């Protein structure tokens, strides 16, 4: 019993098709993270500030 | 589950021992499954954190480089196509002593200039200067501190830029040496500043962008430029501050200033700008 094992069993088709679908799922997760999640989180991390007003996170 | 197809049932009378072992085994299996799922979740979290680091350190550069190059090119092509009218086309060397033209105040978020720093190397692309220093502004280019002088004005024009991530326009800021040109290109031409002093300050030391750096109450007489970036690289603990003073103004009609020869900044303008002698 494992999450990824269960995911693998849910995917249909032969191994080649499952590999392709799994790769698409991973690509989708990466795309969602890059497009929405990470830009939303980035202002909260402390290593980007470059202004002297002490407020702008850039 | 597979019992109907096997021969196990007929021989079962001699095997009543498995049932007592089941509860323990079941608990063990449940524990193993929970541990397995927990392990997978932790591995997933680790992979996502690594992915975030890759996004921050690599992808933001890719996106910002591409978007800023588009803005820079659009600005330069617009300026080349519609030469400024406030400067007479035939400019004699004596005009160099005349005060540089005043810029119209840009709106927040508007890209109104392009900054060239030859010291940063041929691989460094000229960056758009955007009004404002919000996080969005600094992703769009180098941010001009609102309320500070505009390029060429008496006072202190202050720019902030990322030292890391989002195209990291000021990554090499600490390599600037006294006398190095920092050229701010606008519709009118090129403001050639020369680097003077550098300092490392605390993030709240706003005096470095005062009209007279370090003396907020003084009345400015010089035309200065100040660049700020985070310091040390990858940290926000301090700020690296580079000051510069205006050397001269080069009108667009006079062509690309020699300071920009051989840099990536001269390339886009040379074929289209009138009078470019490069």
């Amino acid at each position: 019993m494992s999450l990824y094992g269960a995911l693998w069993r849910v995917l249909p088709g032969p191994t080649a098709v499952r590999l392709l679908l799994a790769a698409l799922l991973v690509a989708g997760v990466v795309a969602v993270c890059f497009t929405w999640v990470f830009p939303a989180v980035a202002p909260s991390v402390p290593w980007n500030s470059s202004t002297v007003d002490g407020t702008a996170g850039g | 589950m597979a019992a109907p197809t096997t021969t196990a049932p007929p021989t079962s009378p001699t095997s009543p021992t498995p049932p007592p072992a089941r509860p323990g085994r079941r608990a063990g299996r449940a524990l193993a499954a929970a541990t397995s799922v927990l392990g997978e979740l932790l591995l997933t979290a680790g992979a996502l954190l690594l992915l975030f680091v890759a996004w921050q350190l690599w992808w933001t550069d890719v996106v910002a480089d591409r978007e800023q190059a588009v803005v820079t090119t659009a600005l330069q092509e617009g300026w080349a196509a519609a030469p400024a009218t406030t400067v007479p086309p035939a400019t004699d060397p004596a005009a160099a002593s005349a005060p540089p033209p005043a810029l119209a105040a840009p709106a927040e978020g508007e890209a109104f200039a392009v900054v060239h720093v030859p010291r940063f190397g041929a691989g460094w692309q000229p960056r758009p200067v955007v009004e404002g220093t919000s996080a969005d502004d600094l992703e769009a280019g180098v941010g001009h501190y609102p309320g500070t002088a505009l390029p060429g004005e008496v006072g202190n024009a202050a720019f902030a830029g990322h030292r890391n991530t989002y195209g990291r326009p000021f990554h090499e800021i600490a390599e600037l040496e006294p006398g190095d040109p920092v050229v701010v290109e606008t519709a009118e031409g090129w403001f050639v500043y020369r680097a003077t002093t550098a300092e490392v300050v605390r993030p709240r030391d706003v005096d470095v962008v005062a009209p007279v750096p370090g003396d907020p109450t003084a009345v400015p007489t010089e035309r200065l430029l100040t660049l700020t970036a985070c310091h040390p690289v990858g940290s926000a603990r301090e700020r690296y501050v580079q000051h510069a003073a205006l050397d001269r103004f080069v009108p667009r009609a006079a062509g690309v200033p020699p300071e920009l020869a051989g840099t990536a900044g001269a390339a886009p303008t040379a074929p289209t700008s009138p009078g470019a002698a490069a």
Side-chain angles (χ1 to χ4, degrees), chain B residues 32-204:
Chain B
T35 310
S36 168
V37 168
L38 182 66
E40 282 182 319
L41 288 176
L42 288 173
L43 283 173
T44 306
L48 285 175
L49 280 175
L50 280 178
L51 196 63
F52 178 76
V53 171
W55 173 84
Q56 182 81 82
L57 292 183
W58 167 70
W59 188 249
T60 61
D61 283 344
V62 172
V63 172
D65 281 348
R66 194 169 58 210
E67 291 179 351
Q68 293 178 18
V70 168
V71 173
T72 300
T73 306
L75 279 173
Q76 291 179 326
E77 285 179 356
W79 295 334
T85 52
T86 55
V87 175
T91 311
D92 57 318
S97 59
L103 294 176
E108 159 70 28
E110 178 189 353
F112 66 98
V114 171
V115 64
H116 306 258
V117 190
R119 171 65 71 185
F120 293 169
W124 186 83
Q125 66 186 57
R127 300 288 171 170
V129 181
V130 175
E131 178 70 6
T133 56
S134 72
D136 284 345
D137 294 329
L138 296 187
E139 288 176 30
V142 168
H144 173 249
Y145 285 84
T148 67
L150 286 167
E153 283 183 355
V154 172
N156 187 13
F159 296 167
H162 279 292
R163 190 98 180 260
N164 227 348
T165 69
Y166 302 102
R168 52 188 207 182
F170 289 168
H171 185 68
E172 301 94 342
I173 190 171
E175 292 173 22
L176 278 167
E177 291 170 14
D180 280 351
V182 176
V183 181
V184 181
E185 180 182 2
T186 69
E188 310 288 347
W190 293 267
F191 297 93
V192 180
Y193 289 86
R194 298 273 173 192
T196 54
T197 58
E199 56 186 320
V200 173
V201 303
R202 287 164 300 152
R204 296 197 179 278

Side-chain angles (χ1 to χ4, degrees), chain B residues 19-36:
Chain B
R22 262 181 209 156
R25 239 181 239 172
R26 211 171 274 165
R29 266 182 216 150
L31 183 65
T35 310
S36 168

Side-chain angles (χ1 to χ4, degrees), chain A residues 3-4 46 48-52 56 58, chain B residues 40 44 162 165 203 228 230 236 239:
Chain A
L3 292 178
Y4 293 111
N48 276 327
S49 304
S50 51
T51 59
V52 286
Chain B
E40 282 182 319
T44 306
H162 279 292
T165 69
T228 72
C230 65
R239 297 291 181 272

Side-chain angles (χ1 to χ4, degrees), chain A residues 2 11 16 21 23-25 28 34 36-37 42 46-49 52 54 58:
Chain A
S2 73
L11 291 175
L21 289 173
L24 284 176
L25 279 177
F34 273 35
W36 291 293
V37 180
W47 55 69
N48 276 327
S49 304
V52 286

